[in-house]
């Protein structure tokens, strides 16, 4: 690896010309990528060779790059991905790519320290890190004095952006024009210096999984970058390059993937347990996929009832919240306190209504600090399509299902899952209609329902199918956030999934010990 320390940004741009030389990145030089077309399944292997090459002038269609089978695992493994803290080039708005000239800012080091505290009680067997300084320093702060030493993995470096690296964003627009625009709106087909950076990244991320899972360990920490962590998550659950920028990775955001062995062997079942657990609030506004967003749908799972223990959570929503559920609902309401929620839409089941009421009461009182003020009105609605418990009652045998295990939805009968998918599709369209077409107006819609319906809603947002049910997991009282940077008719961006840190002492740990059990 070549490390250069230029004395100025102008020197850096001179060095960027090296990226056009095959000798600089021998493993990437003039690649002839293989495009994979397959059914939407995380373990699909159908492969079709395409005649295109990186030097083709014609624009290639955006296709799913389905992952090849993952190496089998003998015991359950959990992989925790962390993006590096804020860097000097993040702060400047400069395009970093795989260059190694930026370092953590003071804020970035503080974010890494917060992540260390988040993970301080977790027992990791090994830590993999990108070789770039901003990620290595983040890994060192989080890993601290743990053993063994951090493993530096070259393929975990950030996306290679060649001539774009080192430019301020406005310089990219001025210098590259339509090419820069394609990087913004059609990254999968973006080509620079004869390379398709996102396609190369997806292949590199997939090969990284073989090395990570091949290590003899069960709890693995990986510290890397925004784009490569996106690619690691996407390739794990079988999503292609067209999903670049739809699974957000904030500075020091933490994502968790479970790899569970199958009884028949072969590629493990893979479940995204958490996405982008940030040191700060996950509902805070700001940029999403590089663009300002002011429209959000926030998915809140209802709190605990007695049915959580008696019925394995499937029918828990029919009952009133118990004491823990009331505390969880209040905590969720406090998390949303700084937002100006426009409407709260709830399943008609008792637990969901109880959670929705708690959020509504806090919202309406938030602006009422003086004796003469009038509480703000927050519209509340109930939506029958969100009543998943009614759907589960159609199942012949739900007594053996536990919603705490990753992939549990795949065990429900196909007919019940089909009904769930269809009803959630109707609900998703109704929820989009709650958002206006006015791009400048800020809108927040909160949806309170069972975890299963929220998993389905996220599937519709990502244009997936019911076969993806087992690829996501949500806990009781968790919060997930969907941004719409291009308005309701644009593509939704998943800001976070299964956030529970707001629950404090009642939260679910980011990792769970696997010392005594092969199940998480």
């Amino acid at each position: 690896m070549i490390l250069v320390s230029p004395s100025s940004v102008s020197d850096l741009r001179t060095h960027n010309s090296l990226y056009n030389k095959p000798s600089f990145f021998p493993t990437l030089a003039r690649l002839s990528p293989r495009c994979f077309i397959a059914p939407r399944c995380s373990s699909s292997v159908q492969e079709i060779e395409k005649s295109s090459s990186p030097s083709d002038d014609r624009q290639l269609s955006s296709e799913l790059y389905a992952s090849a089978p993952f190496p089998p695992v003998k015991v359950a493994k959990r992989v925790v991905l962390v993006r590096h803290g804020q860097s000097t080039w993040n702060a400047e708005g400069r395009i970093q790519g795989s260059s190694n000239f930026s370092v953590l800012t003071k804020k970035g080091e503080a974010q890494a320290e917060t992540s260390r505290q988040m993970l301080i009680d977790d027992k990791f067997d090994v830590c993999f890190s990108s070789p770039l300084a901003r990620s290595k320093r983040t890994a060192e702060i989080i890993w601290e004095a743990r053993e063994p030493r951090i493993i530096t993995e070259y393929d975990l470096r950030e996306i290679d952006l060649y001539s774009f690296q080192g430019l301020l964003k406005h310089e990219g627009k001025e210098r590259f024009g339509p090419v820069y625009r394609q990087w913004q709106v059609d990254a999968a087909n973006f080509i620079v210096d004869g390379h398709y950076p996102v396609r190369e990244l997806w292949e590199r991320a997939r090969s990284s999984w073989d090395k990570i899972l091949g290590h003899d360990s069960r709890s693995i920490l990986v510290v890397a970058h925004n784009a490569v962590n996106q690619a690691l998550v996407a390739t794990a659950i079988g999503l292609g390059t067209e999903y670049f920028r739809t699974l957000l990775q904030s500075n020091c955001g933490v994502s968790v993937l479970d790899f569970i062995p199958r009884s028949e062997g072969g590629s493990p079942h893979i479940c995204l347990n958490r996405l982008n657990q940030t040191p700060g609030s996950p509902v805070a506004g700001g940029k999403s996929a590089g663009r300002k967003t002011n429209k959000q749908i926030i998915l809140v799972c209802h709190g605990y009832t007695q049915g959580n223990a008696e019925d394995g959570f499937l029918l828990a929503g029919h009952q009133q919240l118990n004491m823990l559920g009331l505390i969880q609902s209040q905590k969720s309401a406090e998390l949303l306190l700084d937002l100006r929620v426009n409407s709260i839409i709830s399943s008609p089941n008792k637990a969901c209504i109880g959670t929705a009421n708690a959020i509504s009461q806090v919202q309406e009182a938030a602006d009422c600090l003086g004796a003469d003020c009038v509480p703000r009105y927050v519209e509340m609605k109930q939506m029958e399509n969100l009543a998943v418990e009614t759907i589960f009652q159609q199942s012949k045998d739900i007594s053996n299902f536990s919603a705490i295990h990753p992939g549990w939805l795949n065990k429900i009968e196909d007919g019940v899952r089909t009904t769930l998918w269809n009803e959630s599709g109707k609900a998703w369209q109704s929820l989009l209609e709650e958002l206006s077409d006015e791009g400048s107006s800020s809108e927040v819609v909160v949806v309170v329902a069972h975890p299963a319906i929220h998993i389905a809603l996220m599937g519709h947002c990502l244009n997936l199918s019911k076969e993806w049910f087992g690829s996501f997991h949500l806990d009781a009282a968790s919060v997930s956030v969907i941004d719409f940077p291009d308005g309701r008719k644009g593509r939704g961006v998943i800001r976070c999934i299964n956030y529970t840190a707001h629950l404090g002492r009642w939260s679910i740990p980011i990792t769970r010990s696997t010392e005594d059990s092969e199940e998480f």
Side-chain angles (χ1 to χ4, degrees), residues 159-199:
I159 185 173
D160 301 312
L161 289 175
Y162 308 100
S163 294
F164 272 35
Q165 296 182 173
L167 299 175
L168 292 168
K169 293 176 183 177
H170 74 85
E171 293 174 332
K173 294 177 184 177
E174 294 167 1
R175 185 172 303 186
F176 289 94
V179 177
Y180 184 84
R181 176 63 177 165
Q182 186 180 41
W183 164 238
Q184 290 181 309
V185 301
D186 186 20
N189 293 309
F190 161 66
I191 183 171
V192 60
D193 299 335
H195 293 268
Y196 288 98
V198 176
R199 299 181 186 183

Side-chain angles (χ1 to χ4, degrees), residues 388-408:
V388 70
E389 290 86 352
T390 303
I391 298 172
F392 284 144
Q393 285 179 327
Q394 302 172 21
S395 177
K396 296 177 181 178
D397 183 11
I398 60 173
S399 60
N400 295 324
F401 296 129
S402 175
I404 66 172
H405 295 301
W408 65 273

Side-chain angles (χ1 to χ4, degrees), residues 44-353:
S44 54
V45 296
Q46 184 180 358
E47 175 180 316
I48 300 178
E49 291 285 350
K50 307 293 285 187
S51 60
S52 59
S53 69
S55 60
D56 284 347
D57 292 330
R58 64 185 178 86
Q59 186 183 54
L60 298 177
S61 61
S62 181
E63 298 169 329
L64 285 175
Y65 280 50
S67 59
F70 277 66
V73 295
K74 296 180 180 179
V75 295
K77 291 176 179 270
R78 173 161 284 185
V79 179
V80 176
L81 306 176
V82 182
R83 182 189 173 188
H84 64 78
Q86 185 195 61
S87 70
T88 49
W89 281 17
N90 285 151
E92 294 173 17
R94 199 173 293 279
I95 300 171
Q96 296 184 106
S98 58
S99 62
N100 200 22
F101 307 114
S102 66
V103 296
L104 291 188
T105 62
K106 293 294 184 182
K107 179 179 179 180
E109 291 196 346
Q111 290 171 329
E113 173 60 24
T114 301
S115 293
R116 186 186 74 82
Q117 293 292 334
M118 289 169 60
L119 301 170
I120 196 167
D121 294 325
D122 294 307
K123 293 179 173 61
F124 292 106
D125 300 319
V126 67
C127 176
F128 288 87
S129 171
S130 158
L132 304 184
R134 54 195 186 271
S135 285
K136 285 183 68 177
R137 179 58 184 147
T138 302
E140 289 166 356
I141 292 173
I142 296 173
W143 197 244
E144 208 176 23
R146 285 181 168 118
E147 293 290 344
R149 293 180 60 183
I150 297 170
I151 298 174
T152 300
E153 175 52 55
Y154 182 57
D155 278 347
L156 292 175
R157 70 188 184 279
E158 183 59 301
I159 185 173
D160 301 312
L161 289 175
Y162 308 100
S163 294
F164 272 35
Q165 296 182 173
L167 299 175
L168 292 168
K169 293 176 183 177
H170 74 85
E171 293 174 332
K173 294 177 184 177
E174 294 167 1
R175 185 172 303 186
F176 289 94
V179 177
Y180 184 84
R181 176 63 177 165
Q182 186 180 41
W183 164 238
Q184 290 181 309
V185 301
D186 186 20
N189 293 309
F190 161 66
I191 183 171
V192 60
D193 299 335
H195 293 268
Y196 288 98
V198 176
R199 299 181 186 183
E200 292 176 353
L201 176 67
W202 246 244
E203 292 193 7
R204 174 153 54 87
R206 178 59 191 84
S207 68
S208 294
W209 277 123
D210 289 338
K211 301 169 188 175
I212 294 169
L213 295 177
H215 193 277
D216 185 21
S217 56
R218 299 180 62 181
S219 186
I220 303 167
L221 177 66
V222 176
V223 183
H225 305 265
N226 179 11
V228 71
N229 281 9
Q230 287 186 54
L232 287 169
V233 171
T235 54
I237 61 176
L239 302 180
T241 53
E242 64 184 40
Y243 286 90
F244 184 60
R245 294 201 185 103
T246 62
L247 302 168
L248 210 62
Q249 299 287 314
S250 303
N251 285 123
C252 275
V254 177
S255 300
V256 179
L257 285 149
D258 288 329
F259 296 80
I260 303 144
R262 299 181 189 271
S263 58
E264 67 275 16
S267 186
H269 174 74
I270 304 170
C271 181
L272 179 60
N273 189 284
R274 294 174 187 271
L275 178 77
N276 202 30
Q277 315 294 286
T278 58
S281 169
V283 301
K287 291 186 177 180
S288 185
R291 305 185 298 285
K292 185 177 180 180
T293 183
N294 53 17
K295 296 184 187 298
Q296 291 182 320
I297 291 179
I298 298 178
L299 309 177
V300 179
C301 295
H302 70 71
Y304 266 69
T305 73
Q306 189 59 35
N308 286 86
E310 295 175 353
D311 298 320
F313 203 28
L314 294 189
L315 303 179
H318 281 321
Q319 301 181 18
Q320 300 284 358
L321 296 171
N322 61 14
M323 183 56 68
L324 176 56
L326 290 171
I327 293 172
Q328 291 171 326
S329 297
Q330 190 66 28
K331 292 289 186 181
S332 294
E334 292 171 6
L335 177 69
L336 305 178
L337 181 60
D338 292 332
L339 294 179
R340 193 174 181 86
V341 174
N342 297 85
S343 60
I344 303 172
I345 300 174
S346 165
S347 161
N349 289 314
K350 293 177 182 178
C352 298
I353 294 173

Side-chain angles (χ1 to χ4, degrees), residues 298-302 386 447-459 474 478 480 482:
I298 298 178
L299 309 177
V300 179
C301 295
H302 70 71
L386 296 175
V447 184
V448 183
H450 188 284
I453 204 76
H454 287 330
I455 289 173
L457 292 175
M458 288 189 292
L474 294 177
S478 66
S480 303
I482 303 174

